[in-house]
Amino acid sequence: ILIPALAASRITIVEHKQIRARARKRPLWKVLFLDVVLIAIAGYGLYQFSVRSEILQLSGLEATDLALDPILLVMSTIFVVGVGLLFLRVYPLFVRALYRLGARSWSPAFFASLIQVGRGGGKDQFLMLFIILSIAIGVYNADAARTLNQNVEEQLRYGIGADIVLQEQWQQVDQDGSIVIPDGMGFGMGGPPEPGSSAASTRYLEPPFRRFQELPGVAHVTPVFRATNAAGRSFAGSSFGRVALYGIVPHEFGRVAWFRDGLLPSHWFNYLNLLSHSPAAALISRSLADEADLSPGDPIYLRWGDQPLTLYYVYGVVDYWPGYNPFAGGGAGARQHLAVVNLNYMHATTALEPYQVWFSLDDGVTSAEFYETLTVGRISPTRIQDASQELIRRRNDPMLQGTNGTLSLGFLVSLGICFVGFLLYWVFSIRDRTLQFGLFRAMGMSKSSIIGMLGLEQLFVSGAAVAAGFAIGRIASELFVPLLQAVRSAEQAVPPFRVVSLGVDQLRITIFVTVMLLFGFGILSVVLSRIKIHQAVKLGEE
């Protein structure tokens, strides 16, 4: 506040009027091409982030093992300022082109508005940059909060695979035919069990599966066999290990499992249909296809534990699958492979082993109600994963809540500051232009024409800035919201992070901005209606 006052105290009022009347010099930021410099810095930040992400994927390191470049923390703001300044460099060219397009046909109000905006200089541009920053950062914060919450839920549901994943203790049959009942049966929470590790000579008694289908509140249910220690070889003889093996019933699995659209080249139901074409069909991960040089149609041999090698045929290659994380448990630089086969064919060619039971619940069924049905049905799972309960736990995480609060507060504060700045600028602008409006009225321009002229000025200044703010905010969200995962390892970023922008958030911002513009225009109209020509046109005051 004091620095401008100190500079102004060194000149007289006459010198000040002379300086204002002279031709304006180009702003320093235009001379130094500050807009281009800021955009280049933001581009460098994106490059650094892509390099960091690639290193994490290839090395298998934790996100905390690599130093975080501090420039990544302010990239979105730098980008918004840079693109906003670039817009201010280009926008006057558009106004001049519009002026020349109909210079002889525009109405006086429209003509005066174009002249005012085209010659507004730094004041109008400062307001436009202020609005662009406020709107763009508000849009970015809204998208960031929505994206963070949505991706937490998607990654959790993808990792579990279904609403409920249950593992029940199977009874083992000893060599002499007696039944062995292990101790420790009961509810437990944790990751997927480790089936497929027992010897092929061990026999199990499969519990009745129909009782799961008859549980109240269950929409669909399917058995899923999973082995994390599978291995195999191709027909050419190349061996491979670290295979996560899935045995599924395709048509049932598609109704139960959760899978995000867009992760595969076509809808994932098409891949389930491929499995249904042949009992010996198999889907493999792209990492396995690359390592063993496999392609659709090639034969492949798979085994797990002490089970014998079984022949399958590759019918498709996938990058993702419900519950499959290519970076889990592989170590630095190693990926876990995937093979998905038909469960019925697996049971026909190998010894029966314990499998998981995946559930999708009816709408409105709570976890407590489901657990109650398990108790009534005398079903005692040894391990159970509940997507809804895990999601509640994640949402209550202090780090996530703090981040949401910061982004939400930033969104509200940015819009509030935008409204206050908008109103103050236009009120002071009208007071500074009292003489001009009085002269327009004295020359015969009606009051409604002057109000219309102000409305057009708001459209060219505030309206253009709001539109640019929305566009720049959306671009910034697409480019820089993924930086929120900079502190996550590759294992924690499956499925890939995606930017989520819901129409309801954009609608709220649009309503707020519309109300702001209408309310501000109403105040300006009231202020303008109180201007008295005989008080405005006093040459002695100027």
Side-chain angles (χ1 to χ4, degrees):
I1 294 175
L2 294 178
I3 291 176
L6 180 63
S9 65
R10 297 179 180 179
I11 59 176
T12 64
I13 185 64
V14 176
E15 293 172 335
H16 175 67
K17 292 290 184 179
Q18 290 175 343
I19 293 174
R20 292 187 60 181
R22 292 171 185 166
R24 298 180 180 270
K25 296 182 179 180
R26 295 181 65 192
L28 184 61
W29 66 267
K30 287 187 177 180
V31 176
L32 299 179
F33 289 93
L34 185 60
D35 48 348
V36 178
V37 173
L38 293 178
I39 294 175
I41 294 175
Y44 167 77
L46 284 178
Y47 171 75
Q48 286 291 94
F49 173 71
S50 63
V51 171
R52 174 187 172 86
S53 301
E54 186 174 354
I55 292 175
L56 290 177
Q57 290 189 3
L58 295 177
S59 64
L61 297 173
E62 295 292 333
T64 54
D65 295 335
L66 292 179
L68 183 65
D69 193 339
I71 200 172
L72 296 178
L73 303 177
V74 293
M75 278 300 96
S76 59
T77 304
I78 292 177
F79 176 80
V80 168
V81 175
V83 179
L85 291 176
L86 180 63
F87 174 79
L88 295 182
R89 182 187 293 272
V90 176
Y91 184 67
L93 301 178
F94 168 78
V95 175
R96 293 171 189 169
L98 185 63
Y99 166 77
R100 293 174 182 174
L101 185 63
R104 298 183 179 181
S105 58
W106 298 131
S107 65
F110 197 89
F111 187 88
S113 299
L114 291 176
I115 292 294
Q116 178 64 30
V117 174
R119 300 177 181 177
K123 292 189 300 181
D124 290 347
Q125 290 192 347
F126 178 80
L127 173 67
M128 293 180 71
L129 182 61
F130 180 80
I131 294 178
I132 289 173
L133 284 175
S134 301
I135 298 297
I137 292 176
V139 171
Y140 175 84
N141 286 337
D143 289 348
R146 182 70 65 179
T147 296
L148 188 62
N149 292 324
Q150 186 71 19
N151 279 271
V152 166
E153 179 177 352
E154 289 182 352
Q155 289 170 359
L156 186 147
R157 292 190 178 278
Y158 174 90
I160 295 177
D163 292 343
I164 300 287
V165 175
L166 178 149
Q167 179 73 38
E168 192 177 17
Q169 182 68 53
W170 285 28
Q171 294 178 340
Q172 299 180 16
V173 180
D174 211 345
Q175 297 293 334
D176 58 0
S178 59
I179 297 177
V180 179
I181 303 178
D183 297 331
M185 295 177 62
F187 282 95
M189 300 297 291
E194 297 293 338
S197 59
S198 59
S201 59
T202 304
R203 293 188 299 163
Y204 292 92
L205 291 180
E206 181 182 7
F209 189 78
R210 185 177 182 83
R211 57 199 177 117
F212 296 115
Q213 299 172 326
E214 296 175 348
L215 290 175
V218 173
H220 303 286
V221 61
T222 185
V224 178
F225 176 81
R226 295 180 68 179
T228 58
N229 58 346
R233 62 179 176 84
S234 65
F235 188 76
S238 59
S239 300
F240 48 83
R242 302 190 310 274
V243 178
L245 180 65
Y246 279 63
I248 66 172
V249 181
H251 68 281
E252 294 180 357
F253 190 80
R255 291 183 295 187
V256 174
W258 186 94
F259 195 70
R260 193 179 83 189
D261 292 337
L263 293 178
L264 298 176
S266 62
H267 197 280
W268 75 293
F269 283 2
N270 295 327
Y271 294 88
L272 292 175
N273 292 334
L274 291 177
L275 281 180
S276 302
H277 286 170
S278 172
L283 303 176
I284 63 173
S285 61
R286 192 168 304 279
S287 60
L288 178 55
D290 294 340
E291 179 178 322
D293 193 20
L294 297 170
S295 58
D298 292 342
I300 182 177
Y301 296 92
L302 296 173
R303 60 180 296 272
W304 61 97
D306 290 334
Q307 297 281 8
L309 283 172
T310 305
L311 175 63
Y312 295 93
Y313 292 91
V314 177
Y315 268 58
V317 179
V318 297
D319 295 298
Y320 300 96
W321 198 255
Y324 164 65
N325 191 329
F327 304 102
R335 291 195 178 190
Q336 186 179 45
H337 304 312
L338 171 71
V340 184
V341 299
N342 284 286
L343 181 63
N344 294 331
Y345 180 75
M346 176 187 292
H347 285 171
T349 55
T350 60
L352 181 66
E353 292 190 10
Y355 51 72
Q356 298 176 343
V357 183
W358 289 26
F359 296 87
S360 65
L361 305 181
D362 290 326
D363 294 338
V365 176
T366 64
S367 298
E369 293 172 344
F370 177 76
Y371 295 153
E372 181 65 24
T373 62
L374 293 182
T375 303
V376 173
R378 295 185 178 183
I379 299 174
S380 299
T382 56
R383 292 190 181 186
I384 186 170
Q385 287 183 289
D386 188 336
S388 62
Q389 293 300 309
E390 184 66 20
L391 182 59
I392 292 175
R393 188 185 70 81
R394 293 280 184 90
R395 286 175 174 173
N396 291 332
D397 180 69
M399 180 67 71
L400 182 61
Q401 288 187 337
T403 304
N404 282 330
T406 301
L407 294 173
S408 300
L409 183 61
F411 167 71
L412 296 175
V413 169
S414 62
L415 294 184
I417 292 177
C418 177
F419 173 74
V420 173
F422 165 84
L423 194 60
L424 288 176
Y425 170 82
W426 281 108
V427 169
F428 286 124
S429 176
I430 287 181
R431 291 184 177 180
D432 290 341
R433 296 168 60 190
T434 299
L435 176 61
Q436 181 188 40
F437 294 144
L439 290 175
F440 282 158
R441 292 284 287 121
M443 290 187 298
M445 184 177 289
S446 65
K447 186 175 296 186
S448 60
S449 297
I450 295 179
I451 294 177
M453 181 186 70
L454 274 179
L456 290 172
E457 288 184 20
Q458 284 205 57
L459 178 63
F460 287 125
V461 176
S462 303
V466 167
F470 270 107
I472 296 173
R474 288 294 302 123
I475 297 173
S477 297
E478 292 292 335
L479 294 177
F480 296 98
V481 166
L483 268 65
L484 293 174
Q485 62 176 334
V487 295
R488 295 185 176 185
S489 62
E491 182 177 348
Q492 296 172 322
V494 177
F497 203 80
R498 68 165 179 169
V499 178
V500 179
S501 179
L502 297 185
V504 63
D505 295 330
Q506 308 303 320
L507 180 61
R508 291 171 182 169
I509 300 177
T510 302
I511 292 176
F512 179 89
V513 171
T514 303
V515 172
M516 176 189 75
L517 294 176
L518 293 178
F519 182 72
F521 185 71
I523 293 179
L524 299 182
S525 300
V526 172
V527 173
L528 186 61
S529 64
R530 295 179 179 177
I531 294 178
K532 298 180 180 180
I533 296 177
H534 69 278
Q535 293 180 349
V537 187
K538 290 182 180 179
L539 298 180
E541 295 180 356
E542 289 293 310

